[in-house]
Amino acid sequence: MHYITLLRPKHWAKNLFLFIPLFFAGQLFHPTQLLHVTLAFICFCLLASSVYILNDYRDIEADKAHPTKSKRPLASGAVSKSAAIVLFGVLVLVSLGGAYFLDKKVAFILGIYFVLNLAYSFGLKNISIVDIFIVAIGFVLRVKVGGTAGDVGVSEWLNLMVFLLALFMALAKRRDDIVLKLASGRDMRVASKGYNMDFLNVSLALVSAVIIVAYIMYTMSPVTMERFHTYRLYYTSIFVIAGLMRYLQITYVENNTGSPTNILYKDRFIQLTILLWILSFYVIIYLPTNKVFFE
């Protein structure tokens, strides 16, 4: 059980971003493309787990001082360091090997993700602003892997929206670290020294505003309307705005944004907004004859 926990399977939900290009291309139910993206998803999950193991290995001492991270398998001593290293190596070989067998380009992008996270683990995570940008770039690479595996193009708009959304969540998580610092008197990570509450509050407000404006511009751009053969995509912005406002509520009012993944699993409001956003896009893209719903 501890080894499964070490892999952090809950965080594999982040890798569902691989399916976004296929969804927006209207090819989500194409058997061959869906299979390729699913295999790429598995490879990405295994590689991401190897990165989690590496981060936990290097952060053992810091995690011991954290109220929740101290329960992680390595920090608590439930899994030995040597066993973690062996598992790390196996996951890297299997994931990159499987990706290479699937598509060399997919393996190349996975390699970039892995190298970037190595740099993150061995120092870049200690540099404020750089740390959150690396996290956001990781999500862009997820989308790129999905587009490459599914053989569909990834637009500049999609890359931008994914980057901004990931940056927003990373900022919210850093704010939670500052909340813990104020409560305990300890820095939860080295990069926290480069942040304070005022800076993060302003940054969250700035990025959330940019996300909303960028999304509305995307849905109303001539290129998007021509691609999807409809002007109705801007209707979906209501769910984006509602989801962001709920996340800000959790951040500012509840002071509880330590893990975006946990929020996704537990918060019913955000789950509902995501579901309605996906459903509305599905109706518009996949059921174009049912225009009566959006008249």
Side-chain angles (χ1 to χ4, degrees), residues 27-277:
Q27 301 295 322
L28 186 60
F29 300 111
H30 189 284
T32 302
Q33 290 173 290
L34 182 59
L35 175 61
H36 288 172
V37 176
T38 301
L39 292 174
F41 170 81
I42 294 172
C43 291
F44 209 110
C45 287
L46 295 179
L47 189 63
S49 289
S50 74
V51 171
Y52 297 145
I53 292 173
L54 179 62
N55 285 333
D56 286 356
Y57 182 88
R58 291 188 54 81
D59 292 342
I60 290 177
E61 296 304 319
D63 287 350
K64 288 180 179 178
H66 195 280
T68 56
K69 293 181 180 179
S70 59
K71 299 176 183 178
R72 289 178 175 176
L74 280 172
S76 65
V79 175
S80 67
K81 294 181 180 179
S82 57
I85 290 299
V86 172
L87 184 57
F88 165 80
V90 171
L91 290 174
V92 171
L93 289 175
V94 172
S95 59
L96 292 179
Y100 185 84
F101 178 78
L102 176 64
D103 189 314
K104 293 180 181 179
K105 292 181 180 179
V106 170
F108 178 74
I109 301 171
L110 276 176
I112 293 175
Y113 173 84
F114 182 66
V115 171
L116 186 65
N117 277 275
L118 283 180
Y120 178 87
S121 296
F122 283 91
L124 293 184
K125 67 179 179 180
N126 298 325
I127 305 175
S128 57
I129 297 180
V130 172
D131 63 327
I132 59 176
F133 268 71
I134 290 178
V135 171
I137 291 172
F139 280 86
V140 174
L141 291 175
R142 285 174 169 86
V143 172
K144 190 66 176 176
V145 167
T148 302
D151 195 27
V152 294
V154 179
S155 69
E156 294 81 1
W157 278 110
L158 183 56
N159 280 327
L160 177 62
M161 292 303 305
V162 168
F163 176 80
L164 289 172
L165 181 60
L167 189 63
F168 172 82
M169 292 188 293
L171 283 166
K173 190 172 183 180
R174 293 299 177 271
R175 187 183 184 280
D176 192 72
D177 289 337
I178 297 301
V179 171
L180 291 175
K181 175 184 177 180
L182 294 175
S184 66
R186 296 181 178 180
D187 284 311
M188 294 299 107
R189 61 179 79 229
V190 176
S192 295
K193 296 178 181 179
Y195 299 114
N196 62 29
M197 197 64 76
D198 290 337
F199 172 78
L200 290 170
N201 287 344
V202 171
S203 296
L204 277 169
L206 173 64
V207 174
S208 60
V210 173
I211 289 174
I212 292 172
V213 172
Y215 186 81
I216 293 175
M217 289 179 63
Y218 160 69
T219 58
M220 299 186 68
S221 70
V223 174
T224 302
M225 288 190 286
E226 181 180 354
R227 179 181 181 184
F228 293 107
H229 307 292
T230 180
Y231 65 87
R232 299 176 176 85
L233 288 177
Y234 77 91
Y235 294 153
T236 64
S237 62
I238 187 174
F239 305 120
V240 173
I241 296 172
L244 283 173
M245 290 185 68
R246 171 54 183 160
Y247 207 98
L248 288 172
Q249 184 183 46
I250 295 172
T251 302
Y252 291 127
V253 180
E254 301 178 13
N255 285 322
N256 184 27
T257 50
S259 174
T261 306
N262 286 340
I263 292 175
L264 175 63
Y265 282 126
K266 296 179 179 179
D267 193 84
R268 294 290 180 260
F269 190 100
I270 287 184
Q271 290 173 357
L272 181 60
T273 57
I274 293 175
L275 178 62
L276 291 174
W277 178 80

Side-chain angles (χ1 to χ4, degrees), residues 16-25 28 37 143 146 158 162 277:
L16 292 174
F17 274 76
L18 270 74
F19 294 92
I20 289 179
L22 212 58
F23 177 76
F24 280 105
L28 186 60
V37 176
V143 172
L158 183 56
V162 168
W277 178 80

Side-chain angles (χ1 to χ4, degrees), residues 229-230 232 235 283-284 287-295:
H229 307 292
T230 180
R232 299 176 176 85
Y235 294 153
V283 172
I284 293 172
L287 303 175
T289 57
N290 293 338
K291 294 181 179 180
V292 65
F293 292 113
F294 294 94
E295 289 292 353

